[in-house]
Amino acid sequence: MSGSAMSCEECLIIHPSCAWCAQEKFGSARTLTSRCDLRQNLQKRGCEAHHMESPSSSTTVVKSEPLSSKGSGPTQYDVIQIMPQKISLSLRPGDQTSFKVQVRQVEDYPVDLYYLMDLSLSMKDDLDTIRNLGTKLADEMRKLTSNFRLGFGSFVDKNMSPFSYTASKYQDNPCNGYKLFPSCVPSFGFRHLLSLTDKVDRFNEEVQKQMVSRNRDAPEGGFDAILQAAVCKERIGWRKEAFHLLVFATDDVPHLALDGKLGGLVQPHDGECHMNEKNEYSGSTKMDYPSLALLGEKLAENNIYLIFAVTKRLYVIYKNFTALIPGTTVEILDQDSKNIIQLIVNAYNNIRSKVELTVWDQPEELSLSFTATCQDGQPLPGLRKCADLKIGDTVSFNVSVDARGCPAPGTQQSFTIKPVGFKDRLEVSVDYRCDCGCTDQTQANSTHCSSIGQYTCGICRCDPGYLGARCECQEGEVGSMYLSACRQAEGMQICGGRGECSCNQCLCYESEFGKIYGTFCECDDFSCARHKGILCSGHGECHCGECKCHAGFIGDNCNCSTDTSSCVSDDGQICSGRGSCACGRCQCTEPGAFGDTCEKCPTCPDACGTKRECIECRLFSSGRLSDNQTCQRLCKDEIITVETLKTDDPNAVLCLYKTENECVMKFTYSEHANGMSVLTALKEPECGTAPDAMTVLLAVVGSILLVGIVLLAIWKLVITVHDRREFARFQSARSRARYEMASNPLYKQPISNDYVETNFSMYSKSYNGAAH
């Protein structure tokens, strides 16, 4: 790389480790670039330290007052929430330097809240709801700050075709002929009704005076109203030393830039205040609607946090707007605005729980990278915001600054770092160390240069027509003794075929593609890798066929960003802990994980556990997320409650967990084709009832009796079976007898008494004789 350096200044730009030797007697006479090298190489080759030019970047703190701890009271005008307040940077290109920024959200900080309401016909029920909003909102906000002011404004749309009804019969009453609501006021763009005041009763009075209007198309002119509320600081009454909240309440989408062409408005919005003596927006029918970029710029310029309070069906649209407008948040508004107070309090707590740094007027020559250190003390490279903070927490950011090049001599540059929505800021002034101190000793027509050149920093800058280390040669002189010095190796082309050999050195050709340089014209600044046709992707410099990437980019063609902010999920983890960040995009490694930050993963082991916390905080205001005000920020999934949970959907994951009171909560988790996560949960956990004591007693006694009866029945059955078997056996034996009662030898026919007496003696004798 040092071959491209033809002077001390060029050497310093090549790389922060390069040094230039301005010593008179140094280096080879054959080459003019040998003076540019690493410091250690120059020292080895005999260059003394005091002859070396190698400046380094430095940081100087100009103003650093300590952070405040409280926002209201006698010191409210001197509140400091960022430290330091002024620093000065002295930068050498490529030599990165860094500094630390501390930010603290002080307690009891003053709050200005401007309520901007859509007064189109569909918002009539919302208007009825907020008629006493001022008093109730002030009571809630005074729990958070002792210094609260409230203002009010309204909008409808541009009073011209095709946005509103312009026929003569509608001039005074756009609702003429509309049966549902036959009377309303004429349409208007934006109307400022009440400047910021601590007399909240006046807010109620102004709201009660208002009537709705009617426009023709569905979109509203709300962005016109937001911009006027932001830039008309004196009319609205924004205090410099207060926290600025702008609540935007609507139930429909807004008109955007270029929509005005439908009504013949071709003049872009100029971003200025256009309020007439009636406190109405006078440019409504003269200029187009503002763009998102202009809106974001003016909100940030005036330190205003914008809160979109919109109905559920518009949530996704306005959520996309928040990614394009820094310092904005979106909350879901009930159809009749009955939750507006809690919505504002939640949004305020959500905003106050995070700190995000923005950079204003960053010079093109500078590259900035951030490392956040939040309340857990762990450094988070690539992040410039901290979330889940409590009021009074102090967070720090390490800011690294790298200069990619040098502006024109004498250029004064500066930029500003400020937290989103804060009035406090850090002002950074920048100067560049692109010059060498040895140029102060330049000698014109020096004898070192044969009196035909300028001697500066150890080399000669020859007059036109002369060249050589000492201007000893004239252009066009060529000899065989010089040619060998112009070949990189024996047998190779002279000057690589990309230059001519003159006076012992190569004179490289000019090229329409860029610069050819090097001792043998072997290098150039255009033969490097490209991305989409852009050399080094536009994020690096081409040096001798190799891309040297700017800070924050890597890769052969510098197309890979090292910034990880786009990979941070809502829970603060890189790629939700399910992947890695490569080139600013998440590569999900967990099977089943997908989404921009791998946040969607129905099949992941922790899917049910993650969604359980959202079920607990959203439905029952319990669990870990209910304490630190992060529920609304982390749990944006749609939750549907049902009486009976269906589990037959193959694309849904059934989750269940046991609650603190031993009940079982069931829900399913699925991903729709539109990218939205949907949780379907039971309205109440399933809980078993405790048994009644008398019921248990009766059940036990009944069971005992039943068992006894069963045992008796079994015993009776066994006895019966046994008796029947014995009787059957008896019957069987009886039937097998071989004789009958008539032939029984033991049986004699009964006789009369006379016969017995006559024959007794004879029978006895015969019997006794037989016995003997």
Side-chain angles (χ1 to χ4, degrees), residues 486-537:
C486 294
R487 287 189 175 95
Q488 192 169 8
E490 189 65 31
M492 295 186 68
Q493 285 184 299
I494 295 173
C495 300
R498 304 204 295 179
E500 295 180 353
C501 184
S502 179
C503 197
N504 209 32
Q505 62 181 336
C506 287
L507 296 179
C508 301
Y509 296 141
E510 292 183 357
S511 172
E512 61 179 313
F513 301 110
K515 180 181 179 181
I516 300 174
Y517 60 90
T519 304
F520 306 102
C521 302
E522 72 276 12
C523 294
D524 61 56
D525 61 359
F526 52 83
S527 298
C528 290
R530 298 171 181 263
H531 179 64
K532 296 183 179 179
I534 303 175
L535 190 67
C536 299
S537 305

Side-chain angles (χ1 to χ4, degrees), residues 133-162:
L133 172 67
T135 306
K136 298 177 182 178
L137 180 59
D139 291 341
E140 289 296 323
M141 291 301 295
R142 286 192 178 114
K143 297 176 183 177
L144 305 173
T145 176
S146 62
N147 194 337
F148 175 69
R149 299 199 311 168
L150 186 62
F152 181 60
S154 61
F155 67 90
V156 181
D157 206 346
K158 296 181 183 295
N159 192 13
M160 58 185 299
S161 181

Side-chain angles (χ1 to χ4, degrees), residues 63 65-66 68-81 85 106-112 147 149 198 237-244 423-424:
K63 182 181 180 181
E65 297 183 4
S68 303
S69 58
K70 195 171 183 181
S72 297
T75 61
Q76 71 180 59
Y77 300 103
D78 301 318
V79 172
I80 296 174
Q81 299 184 94
Q85 293 81 44
V106 299
E107 298 179 6
D108 198 22
Y109 198 66
V111 175
D112 286 347
N147 194 337
R149 299 199 311 168
D198 55 3
W238 298 113
R239 293 176 292 179
K240 183 179 179 181
E241 65 284 351
F243 192 81
H244 302 158
K423 70 177 181 64
D424 306 74

Side-chain angles (χ1 to χ4, degrees), residues 408-467:
T411 302
Q412 297 292 326
Q413 292 186 338
S414 63
F415 63 93
T416 301
I417 295 177
K418 65 188 296 290
V420 175
F422 285 50
K423 70 177 181 64
D424 306 74
R425 62 189 63 204
L426 168 60
E427 297 177 359
V428 184
S429 60
V430 184
D431 67 80
Y432 297 84
R433 306 194 68 176
C434 297
D435 298 326
C436 296
C438 56
T439 56
D440 297 336
Q441 303 173 5
T442 300
Q443 302 173 17
N445 298 321
S446 171
T447 56
H448 295 291
C449 305
S450 306
S451 300
I452 49 176
Q454 190 180 70
Y455 184 74
T456 178
C457 295
I459 62 172
C460 287
R461 292 181 177 176
C462 303
D463 292 344
Y466 294 88
L467 45 82

Side-chain angles (χ1 to χ4, degrees), residues 112-117 151-155 189-196 221-239 244-248 269 271-275 279-281 290 295 298-299 301-306:
D112 286 347
L113 189 150
Y114 192 78
Y115 193 86
L116 186 57
M117 185 175 181
F152 181 60
S154 61
F155 67 90
F190 165 63
R191 185 175 292 158
H192 170 54
L193 300 169
L194 177 66
S195 298
L196 291 163
F223 280 9
D224 267 344
I226 291 175
L227 194 138
Q228 291 304 298
V231 299
C232 299
K233 296 179 287 187
E234 290 76 16
R235 294 286 187 96
I236 303 298
W238 298 113
R239 293 176 292 179
H244 302 158
L245 293 178
L246 177 56
V247 179
F248 178 80
H269 204 293
E272 301 296 328
C273 178
H274 296 280
M275 298 276 283
N279 282 334
E280 294 184 353
Y281 174 40
L295 207 60
K298 295 303 177 181
L299 289 169
E301 187 179 295
N302 294 283
N303 308 318
I304 295 174
Y305 276 107
L306 176 61

Side-chain angles (χ1 to χ4, degrees), residues 542-595:
C542 181
H543 285 288
C544 205
E546 182 180 357
C547 286
K548 301 299 178 182
C549 302
H550 298 155
F553 293 91
I554 57 175
D556 293 339
N557 54 12
C558 302
N559 70 324
C560 184
S561 173
T562 59
D563 183 17
T564 59
S565 58
S566 59
C567 296
V568 179
S569 54
D570 287 339
D571 60 3
Q573 297 188 75
I574 298 295
C575 300
S576 304
R578 298 175 180 139
S580 58
C581 188
C583 300
R585 301 184 67 180
C586 280
Q587 294 183 349
C588 304
T589 56
E590 182 80 22
F594 63 98

